[in-house]
Every structure is written in C-alpha cells, then in structure tokens.
C-alpha cells in the first residue's frame, strides 16, 4: 500500500459479536491492534443450537460495547480511524443487519468510508494477515456453516474447487452431539469425548469418496450415526459413556478421513495451477479440531506443500479478518455507500453453479 490505513471492523454474522482495529502501513504487514469477541453460547445453550432472533438481539445490544472496548484496548478514538469494515453477508440476516446498521451509523456520523465485506472472504484472506502468504494459495474453509475448497487468486478473486452439497462439518458436529446427548457447541464436545473412544468400533461411511471430485457430503454420515445410536439403545436400553465416546470417535474419524482425501484431490488440482507456490491454508472453527488438523498436515507433507493454520482466535469468527479483507480489497475498489445491503447469501465464486441450490434470495453457496 502507498498510504497507511486503519480500519475498524465489525462482525455479527452468526453468534459472535466482534469488533477489531487493524492497521496497514506502507511496505509492512498489517497489524491487529485490538480484537474483541463476545460469544453467545450461554444464550443458546438450552435450545441446542443458535436461535436467529436471540442472536440478532444480542448483537444489537453488544456491538457498540465491542466497539468501545476495541478502541480502548488500542488506545484510539473514532477520530483516529480511517474507515469502517463490516460483514455484509452471508449469515443469519438479523445478525448481519445489526452489524451493517451499526457500521452505517458510524460512517454517517464521522463522514468516513464504509466497506462491506463477504464473511467468507474474511476467512479466506486470513492467511495473508497472519503469515503474508503469497497468491495463489489453496484455502479449505471449514466451519459451522460452510465447507469449501477455494483457489485464492487475489483479494477479490476466488475459484471454488468443491464443497459440501449439504451439511457443513461444523453443523454435522453440532447435530451429532445432540444425537448422542453431548453438550453444545458440538465440535469441542465430540473432540473431548472421542479421546476416550474407539474409532473402529462402529463401521461408519465415508460419503462421496467414490466420486473423483472435491465435493463432500456429511448429512448421510449424520444419519448413519443416528441409526447406529438407535441400534445400541435397542440392544442395551440406553447409551453408556463409552458408547458416546465410541460414536464420537467414529464420527470424528469419518469426517477427518473425508476431509483429508478430498483435500488431497483439491491440492493436486491446485498444484496444476501453481506448482511454485504450494501452500494449503485452513480456516474456520472446525480447523481447531486436532484430529482433523493432523490429517490435513499429513496430506500437505505427502504433496510437499506448506500448511498454514491461523491461530484459533483468527480461525473462528472475528472482526480482525473483516477489517483486513477490506484493507486488501480497498486497493482494487472504492468504498460502499449507505445503500449497502445485508445479504443472507453471498457466494464467493459466482461463476459456478450454486452448491446448495438457489431461491428468491439467490444462491446459498
């Protein structure tokens, strides 16, 4: 960049309310000056999942407080900020709208520019923030709501190589945790239970491995866990702690195997495009799972590729990635105006057919 840029980012696409300040100096890597994330786990715990209306109300209550904390931690004021970046989609529309309206208010009050950012682009560009990874690189975005292989050619150019045709892995983890009576969020609960489990006790499927592409499916795996659980309950009259652990371990191993093999195929396609770069990056909450991460690292070593996984605080939903994405993209486009819309759906690669179909609101992914 030729001039310095300091952006305040906002994120509210699901159940984390976040604000962050990121500064980019000419000729230097961007720095995260502060990052505040307020979760909502306790608000949704009794419902077994995120309730959109509750999430939206919590965002509206917490966004201004997160902004105040982010500014205080960086020892800055709104007068120091050069502009505002906000997740404008995709996500739960009430939450996205809360963030967009807050950012619009800040922009209107200060007269400073506003940048709407695709939440998925924030994840996809995070390796540039943490490790200054050169383009192009392969990104596996694997989270509660999304799972895609993306060739990242630039700040606004993403080529989808494959993705899930139904449930995202994080969604499947949550559903399976409920099926076997583990607490939410499901990802950490299943990972913890699996430590004491036998992943080979139950023969669970590895969906779509018979197809040569990079697409994935986890809905059938979830159904297989349900049927296996029902058989155990029928035979024993209930689930023991060991049964839970074995089901968790078997499910986690199946997801890990699918992701590893599909990543191997995606890497081979990527290396046909950019053999000199050879970098696999992973982001999203599911990337924190150690078994899955180990499988991806193993595949990377097999194909002689660097493996980049940002710190957990920047892998899960946060506002620093949104501010940084806006900084990267500002070199290619101007700011948005106050007509910026909140979008529940916003595919990164619009040149390909939608993975999950389309409706009145557009392609889902």
């Amino acid at each position: 960049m030729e001039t310095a840029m300091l952006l305040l980012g906002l994120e509210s696409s699901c159940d984390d309310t976040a604000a962050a300040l990121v500064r980019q100096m000419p000729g230097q890597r961007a720095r995260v000056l502060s990052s505040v994330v307020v979760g909502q786990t306790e608000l949704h715990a009794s419902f077994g999942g995120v309730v959109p209306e509750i999430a939206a109300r919590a965002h509206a209550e917490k966004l201004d407080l997160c902004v105040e904390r982010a500014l205080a931690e960086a020892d800055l004021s709104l007068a120091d900020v050069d502009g505002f970046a906000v997740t404008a989609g995709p996500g739960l529309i009430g939450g996205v709208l809360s963030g967009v309206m807050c950012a619009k208010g800040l922009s209107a009050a200060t007269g400073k520019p506003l940048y709407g950012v695709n939440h998925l682009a924030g994840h996809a560009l995070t390796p540039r923030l943490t490790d200054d990874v050169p383009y192009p690189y392969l990104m596996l975005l694997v989270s509660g709501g999304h799972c895609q292989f993306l060739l990242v050619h630039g700040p606004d150019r993403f080529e989808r190589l494959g993705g899930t045709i139904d449930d995202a892995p994080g969604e499947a983890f949550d559903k399976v945790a409920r099926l076997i009576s583990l607490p939410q969020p499901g990802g950490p609960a299943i990972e913890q239970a699996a430590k004491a489990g036998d992943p080979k006790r139950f023969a669970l499927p590895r969906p779509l491995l018979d197809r040569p592409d990079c697409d994935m499916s986890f809905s059938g795996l979830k159904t297989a866990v349900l049927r296996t659980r029902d058989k155990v309950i029928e035979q024993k009259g209930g689930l023991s702690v060991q049964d839970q652990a074995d089901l968790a371990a078997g499910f986690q191993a199946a997801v890990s195997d699918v992701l590893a093999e599909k990543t191997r195929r995606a890497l081979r396609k990527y290396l046909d495009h950019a053999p000199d770069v050879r970098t696999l990056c992973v982001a999203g909450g599911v990337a924190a799972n150690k078994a899955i991460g180990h499988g991806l690292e193993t595949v990377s070593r097999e194909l002689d590729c660097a493996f980049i996984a940002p710190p957990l605080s920047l892998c899960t939903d946060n506002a620093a990635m949104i501010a940084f994405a806006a900084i990267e993209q500002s070199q290619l486009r101007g700011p948005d105006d106050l007509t910026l819309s909140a979008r529940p759906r916003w595919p990164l690669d619009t040149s390909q057919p939608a993975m999950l179909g389309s409706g009145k609101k557009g392609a889902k992914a």
Side-chain angles (χ1 to χ4, degrees), residues 4 10 15 17 108 117 126 128 141 146 191 202 237 244 270 297-298 308 324 351:
L10 298 177
D15 62 338
T17 310
V117 175
T126 297
R128 297 270 301 163
L141 174 54
H146 306 279
E191 184 174 17
F202 301 111
Q244 287 179 313
Y270 158 66
E297 283 190 83
T298 299
I308 303 295
F324 177 73
S351 66

Side-chain angles (χ1 to χ4, degrees), residues 262-283:
K262 293 294 184 172
T263 297
R264 184 178 288 107
R265 298 175 190 179
L267 270 173
R268 287 170 178 156
K269 288 188 176 184
Y270 158 66
L271 292 175
D272 288 340
H273 289 266
D276 296 330
V277 179
R278 310 184 74 89
T279 306
L280 168 66
C281 303
V282 60

